[in-house]
Amino acid sequence: MNRLILLICLSFIVISAKAEEPVLKPEMKGGVIKGIVMDNAMDIPVEYATVSVYNMADSSLIDGTITDEKGAFELAKMKPGKYFVEITFIGYNKAIVRNIPIDRNRNLADLKIVNLRQASEALNEVVVTSERAPVQYQIDKKVIPVSRQITAASGTAVDVLENVPSVSVDIEGNVSLRGNSNFTVLVDGKPSILDASDILQQMPASVIENIEIITNPSAKYDPEGTAGIINIITKKNTEKGLNGVANLSMGSQENRSGDILINYRKKKWNWNLGLDYSNRQFEGTTKTENRTIYEGITSSVLSDGEAKMKFLGYGIRTGFDFDIDSKNQISFGFRYGSRDMERGSVLDYQEFDSNDPERILYDSEDLWEKEMTFVNSNFSYTRKFSGKGHQLASQVTYSHRGSGDEQSTNELFDANGNQTSGKIATEDGPGTRWEIRSDYTLPLGKDAKFELGYQGQIRSSEADTKQEDYNVVSKQYEPQPLYSHDVTYDQQVHGLYTTYASKIGKFGYQLGFRSEYTNREIDFKDESEIFTIKRWDFFPTIHTQMDLGSDNQLMASYTRRIQRPRGYWLEPFVTWTDAYNVRQGNPDLNPEYIDSYELAYSKRFGDQSVTFETYYKVTHNKIESVRYPWEEQGNVMKSTSVNVGNDYSLGMEATINLSFGKWFKNDLIGNFYHYKEEGDFTLTNSSDEDIYKDFSTKSYNWSLRNNSTIIFDPKTRVQFTANYQSETNWAQGKRKGFFTTSAALKRDFMKRRLSATFQVRDIFGTAKHETLYEGDNFYNFSRFSHKSPTFNLKLSFKINNYKMKRERGSEGGVDVEEFEM
């Protein structure tokens, strides 16, 4: 493996040495006007922007096109004359480039970079406001501007995701991507040591600029995660001087948060500093009903009471960018944070069985706690060569998670308040992750591009689990060696990828191929067992795009992905989660492999748009958590992870963005899909007999979300959101459907430097999380209802960057003018 890494490094050195060779420019036929359109605030390409060229003499329309995924455009076969170019895109100010000459002496007009500004600005007491598109579709992803979601302004990334295509969120904040909870979360394109759910639940919405939804990633991306990738793009600022933004939020149920981001840019340096703090709590009621059958006796356990969840976190981040010269740039980023999570309940229990219907009454106090600190840092270097887009970018990322102390306490008390039993389960252990990647990009003519890259991930973690049981005689907790274990995980994944993109007329395509080598070792120290995997995997990808004219786009893609088993899925020992549930891992699990197909059509009508996406996904070696009564303990349920078979999802997603004048905008998102699972698993009972269990199911599922925004004036707007999730069936149960509504009022003050947003969530108290599991010898029902509605007030203050400046300049003799329309 060391030789493989050395060979890769040498290959990139050779590429770098040859990259400076001059590239011959092809002969031009007729005049050519070209350039690149960029988002001024985020410094990213603007895809699908409309580029129109007019005659300067009479303003007659000559030709037009749209920008590609790199923001580039080119208009060829231009006759001699003087022209101006107009560039427009929904949610941006119009840009006009005037006085573009085409003649025999100058048949190529390169406008270089043309910046589009987001349409929100105050000019001489007249304020012109325009909305950014709620969803921006690119060839391999959807980009969601967080500024559109004012009902989630004081929340987290989870609250933003409630209203975006392809994502569903249940009432407890669990996120799934097209019905699948196995996905990868990146922050600014970089991985983290934190779990996906931890990142989304702790990342404040106020520090997020965009969220990218990538359901069919190309070969350039890590293929881990069956459902795809959610990439969180944090806020940055490219304006010169000192600027920033500060946010403060206060709400019901003791919810509060605050953050500040400061940016300073001068000459070749850009430096930023950010701080954030959040204290989020959820209160509600819970009810459960559990029945198990063992040796003909039905045991029942009923409970109801109060439950509370709490998420406390703070973080600091800083970093800088430095332009060494026009061809070399370095960047560094650092983030430190702490996360404390609690989930507790106080419940009243009733227990009885079919032999003795007299009910035993008692109470329980449950508390799950997790404390964790983490560090993320990254260093990147970019080397640009001659020729637009020709570069080599390298990056090293390091993540460290502290001990991650996790403790679950479950205590039972009789009617007189005497403790009758108790369990304390703990798990702690640090974890580290290194990622090294290098990406080389070589443009091949105006429409083709070749990419080659390496990505290596080195992860290690340790889990020390312990359990103590309450002794009613000594009234002390005593260690339980049978349920105490020490495990270490070491995994290396080394990947090579290549992509080739080109265009034939209005048809664009990208072909990709990725190969990965996995070396994983799990060491169970107390049992002297080691489980290893050494394996090569291969991942082809295809993305296509067709420009049908008149703002019509057609996109199709195929990708292959992988979901490797998580650490706790592999632990072969029993771990108690509460008094009535245990889990046991399975070290023989195989990874899931996913074949994913998508076809999408997008049409824009001025400020309005409609998009239809169809998708078909097949998961091989499907990993499921299966439940069954644990024979050793009677009414205790046991769960384990098993490769049950395959599952299939076929669905269609529609997004309709309507604009009724400048005062009312409406976004409607619908998703309908058919799910089918074909599988089975085998259990071994106390008599060492293998029992076959069918694990097949099928269901129709759908969701509908509507987001309406009323703009009273440029400083005041109201947003109302309604969300319905249908009932979803599983092989061993179902999740019942639920409906929830939210509203928000936003008002700007002090020449738009200060804004206030007041939110109300779950207005009618209809959001409930109900799940049902059942099998041959068990029935488990649970329901959690939030205390609703909840209220929140968020204040946001902009520092020095509350107003964009009008700019007029020149680039190579060509005048550039940007203004509000």
Side-chain angles (χ1 to χ4, degrees), residues 9 83 106 189 218 221 262 352 360 376 424 464 623 659 775 802:
C9 295
Y83 302 94
R106 182 170 181 175
S218 69
Y221 292 95
I262 300 294
F352 56 94
I360 302 173
N376 276 57
I424 299 178
D464 185 7
I623 299 175
S659 178
Y802 63 92

Side-chain angles (χ1 to χ4, degrees), residues 437-605:
R437 66 176 304 148
S438 192
D439 305 288
Y440 173 70
T441 304
L442 175 64
L444 301 172
K446 70 171 185 176
D447 292 325
K449 179 178 68 173
F450 171 77
E451 292 180 300
L452 173 69
Y454 161 78
Q455 181 178 5
Q457 298 179 16
I458 303 172
R459 306 182 66 172
S460 66
S461 62
E462 184 175 348
D464 185 7
T465 61
K466 296 178 181 179
Q467 181 175 311
E468 297 178 348
D469 286 359
Y470 184 75
N471 186 317
V472 294
V473 177
S474 65
K475 299 186 183 303
Q476 298 291 327
Y477 280 92
E478 299 176 350
Q480 302 295 309
L482 181 63
Y483 302 112
S484 300
H485 307 276
D486 190 3
V487 188
T488 59
Y489 304 85
D490 293 290
Q491 178 174 285
Q492 295 186 32
V493 179
H494 300 276
L496 289 170
Y497 79 88
T498 181
T499 67
Y500 175 76
S502 187
K503 205 171 185 180
I504 303 175
K506 295 184 177 181
F507 176 75
Y509 64 90
Q510 182 192 76
L511 306 177
F513 185 79
R514 186 184 185 101
S515 62
E516 288 194 343
Y517 176 76
T518 303
N519 183 358
R520 189 194 73 194
E521 182 178 287
I522 303 175
D523 185 2
F524 299 97
K525 296 182 178 180
D526 50 327
E527 299 181 12
S528 300
E529 289 186 271
I530 297 178
F531 298 87
T532 61
I533 287 180
K534 299 179 185 292
R535 180 182 58 243
W536 281 95
D537 294 303
F538 305 95
F539 307 97
T541 64
I542 302 173
H543 290 79
T544 62
Q545 175 184 337
M546 174 69 77
D547 177 14
L548 303 178
S550 302
D551 292 331
N552 287 267
Q553 295 289 322
L554 187 66
M555 293 164 283
S557 61
Y558 160 77
T559 65
R560 183 170 174 82
R561 297 184 60 75
I562 187 173
Q563 176 65 54
R564 297 177 178 90
R566 298 178 182 177
Y568 66 89
W569 293 355
L570 303 168
E571 299 170 349
F573 47 81
V574 171
T575 301
W576 287 83
T577 56
D578 58 43
Y580 298 101
N581 291 277
V582 300
R583 64 174 169 85
Q584 182 175 11
N586 178 5
D588 295 323
L589 280 179
N590 292 315
E592 295 178 343
Y593 293 96
I594 306 92
D595 292 305
S596 179
Y597 307 82
E598 290 189 6
L599 177 65
Y601 168 76
S602 178
K603 168 67 177 177
R604 291 204 313 275
F605 309 88

Side-chain angles (χ1 to χ4, degrees), residues 358-394:
E358 183 177 355
R359 303 196 174 201
I360 302 173
L361 305 180
Y362 56 93
D363 300 323
S364 79
E365 294 183 5
D366 300 300
L367 179 62
W368 173 85
E369 301 173 286
K370 184 174 183 179
E371 300 178 1
M372 177 177 57
T373 59
F374 67 90
V375 172
N376 276 57
S377 61
N378 63 83
F379 176 82
S380 62
Y381 167 72
T382 301
R383 167 66 175 172
K384 296 180 180 180
F385 305 109
S386 58
K388 182 180 64 179
H390 189 191
Q391 67 176 33
L392 173 66
S394 300

